[in-house]
Amino acid sequence: MLGVVGCLAAGGHDAERALLVKGLVLGPGVGGCRGHRTNLELTVVGSGEVLVGVIVCGIRAPYRARAPAGARLVTVRTLGRVTVPVAVDCVVVSYNSADDLPLCLRSLADQTGVEVVVTVVDNCSSDDSVAVAQAHGARVLANTSNRGFAAAVNQGLRGGASPWVLILNPDARLAPGGVRALMDATSRGGRVGCVGPRTTDVEGTVYPSARAFPGVFTALVHGLLGRVWPGNPATRRYHAGHLAGDVTGEVDWVSGCCMLLPRAAWEQVGGFDERYFMYVEDMDLCFRLRQVGWRTVFEPGATVVHVGGRSSRRRPLRSIYHHHRGAIRFYWRSAAPWHRPVTGPLATLVLVIRGVVLGVLTAVSSRR
C-alpha cells in the first residue's frame, strides 16, 4: 500500500508555494515500482482546493503541486497506478556532426521502457548538423560560437525536469535496452551517481571506458609510456585493468562519451566544470561526485558503439592542447594537498613536454 512518510513546504513566486511530497513507502517489492506512476489526490488546507497530481515511483523524484501561500498539506489519497515510461533528459553536443547524428538519434529513439527527451546543442557547426537534428525530432539549441563540450552539455541539461540525465556523443550509438540497463545499475545498492556502459569501436574492439584516477606514479608513467608501451603496469592500472570486461563494478570514473546520472547527483555538483573545453571533464565530474558521497559504476550490460576521434582527426593540434591542459587542471585539483607543491610542478612539466612533443610529431606527420 502506498503511504506518505513526509512532506515539506518550499518557497515559490509571489503568492504561491510549492508543496513537495518527499517520501513514498510502497511495502514489499519496492523495486518493482520502477517505471510506474501513481496518481495522488492532495488536500490542501487554506484554499479549500483538491489538487490531483502524479508521482513517479522508484526514482526518488518528488512531486510538485502549486498551492496558495500559507497552505499546508493534510491528506494524500491514492487514485490508482498506471504503467508509463520513465523520462530521461539526454543531451548530444554536435560540432560538424551531420554524418553521425542520424545513427545516434535513431539509437535513442529505439530505446524501450523509457522516454528519452533529446536536446542537441550545436556548437556553431558549418555543416547540416542543426537541420539533421531537427529532422529527427530533437530539440535543438544552436550556438553562435563553439562553447566547448562541457559548457554545451550544461546548457542542454539546464532547466530539465526528468529525474535522469544522459550524455551521449554524436558519434556514438547506444544498443537497444542500454538506457534501461544503466538505470537498473543504480538500484543495486549504495549511492550510485554515475553509470557508464561497455564501449566498443565499430569493429567490436572494447575501449577502456572505465578508468582509475591517476596518482603521481600512474600519471607520469602512463603519460610517458602509454603510447609506446600500452601494456605497462601504470597504463593497465589507469584503464581499470582490475575489472574484467564483462563484470559490473565500482570504478573511479567512466568516459563521457556515454554516461547516465540521477539528476540529483548532477545538480549537486553543478554539472561539468566549464573550464574544461573538451577532454577530462568526465574524470573531473566523477571525482567531484565521489567527494560528496556518490559512487561511479561500470555496467557492461549496456553497450555503446563509439566511432571516436572525429574532433582529434579534424583538428589534432587543438585536441592535444585541450587534452593536456585539462590533465594539468585535474591534477592540481585532485592531488593531495601535502605533496601538491612538489608533485604539481613536476606533473605540469611532464605534461607540457609531452604535449609539445606530440604536437611537433603531429605537425610533421601532417605535412608528409
Side-chain angles (χ1 to χ4, degrees), residues 41-305:
E41 181 182 274
L42 312 179
T43 303
V44 180
V45 170
S47 66
E49 298 180 65
V50 175
L51 307 178
V52 177
V54 174
I55 284 186
V56 181
C57 303
I59 54 178
R60 302 175 184 173
Y63 168 76
R64 297 172 184 264
R66 308 306 300 180
R72 61 189 178 87
L73 185 66
V74 291
T75 65
V76 177
R77 182 168 65 88
T78 63
L79 302 178
R81 190 174 77 172
V82 293
T83 301
V84 295
V86 175
V88 177
D89 283 330
C90 175
V91 62
V92 177
V93 177
S94 63
Y95 179 70
N96 295 325
S97 307
D99 293 338
D100 296 317
L101 280 171
L103 288 177
C104 171
L105 298 178
R106 202 170 301 140
S107 76
L108 293 170
D110 290 342
Q111 296 298 310
T112 56
V114 293
E115 177 189 356
V116 183
V117 181
V118 182
T119 297
V120 174
V121 181
D122 185 74
N123 270 336
C124 198
S125 295
S126 58
D127 65 2
D128 293 329
S129 292
V130 169
V132 170
Q134 291 172 336
H136 283 79
R139 169 178 173 249
V140 177
L141 302 178
N143 291 327
T144 57
S145 63
N146 188 347
R147 300 190 60 202
F149 179 76
V153 168
N154 290 350
Q155 178 187 358
L157 294 176
R158 193 171 293 123
S162 299
W164 301 96
V165 299
L166 175 68
I167 301 164
L168 186 66
N169 275 15
D171 58 349
R173 55 184 184 270
L174 197 56
V179 175
R180 171 58 63 182
L182 294 174
M183 291 171 61
D184 289 345
T186 68
S187 62
R188 295 174 183 163
R191 196 164 176 247
V192 179
C194 183
V195 186
R198 179 176 179 266
T199 304
T200 72
D201 61 19
V202 293
E203 296 177 351
T205 302
V206 175
Y207 175 79
S209 56
R211 302 193 177 192
F213 296 133
V216 179
F217 172 80
T218 301
L220 293 177
V221 176
H222 171 71
L224 292 172
L225 301 180
R227 284 177 174 251
V228 296
W229 181 19
N232 72 79
T235 296
R236 289 203 310 272
R237 168 75 180 95
Y238 176 56
H239 288 170
H242 58 287
L243 278 182
D246 293 324
V247 176
T248 301
E250 183 173 356
V251 296
D252 287 348
W253 66 283
V254 292
S255 169
C257 84
C258 180
M259 53 169 52
L260 178 99
L261 302 90
R263 182 174 287 278
W266 174 261
E267 293 185 347
Q268 183 177 358
V269 297
F272 282 141
D273 183 340
E274 297 184 10
R275 290 175 294 181
Y276 295 92
F277 186 84
M278 57 189 296
Y279 302 118
V280 193
E281 71 290 317
D282 42 11
M283 179 164 57
D284 177 87
L285 174 73
C286 294
F287 178 79
R288 289 183 290 118
L289 284 169
R290 174 175 288 191
Q291 286 184 311
V292 292
W294 293 96
R295 299 165 56 226
T296 297
V297 169
F298 171 66
E299 176 49 74
T303 299
V304 65
V305 177

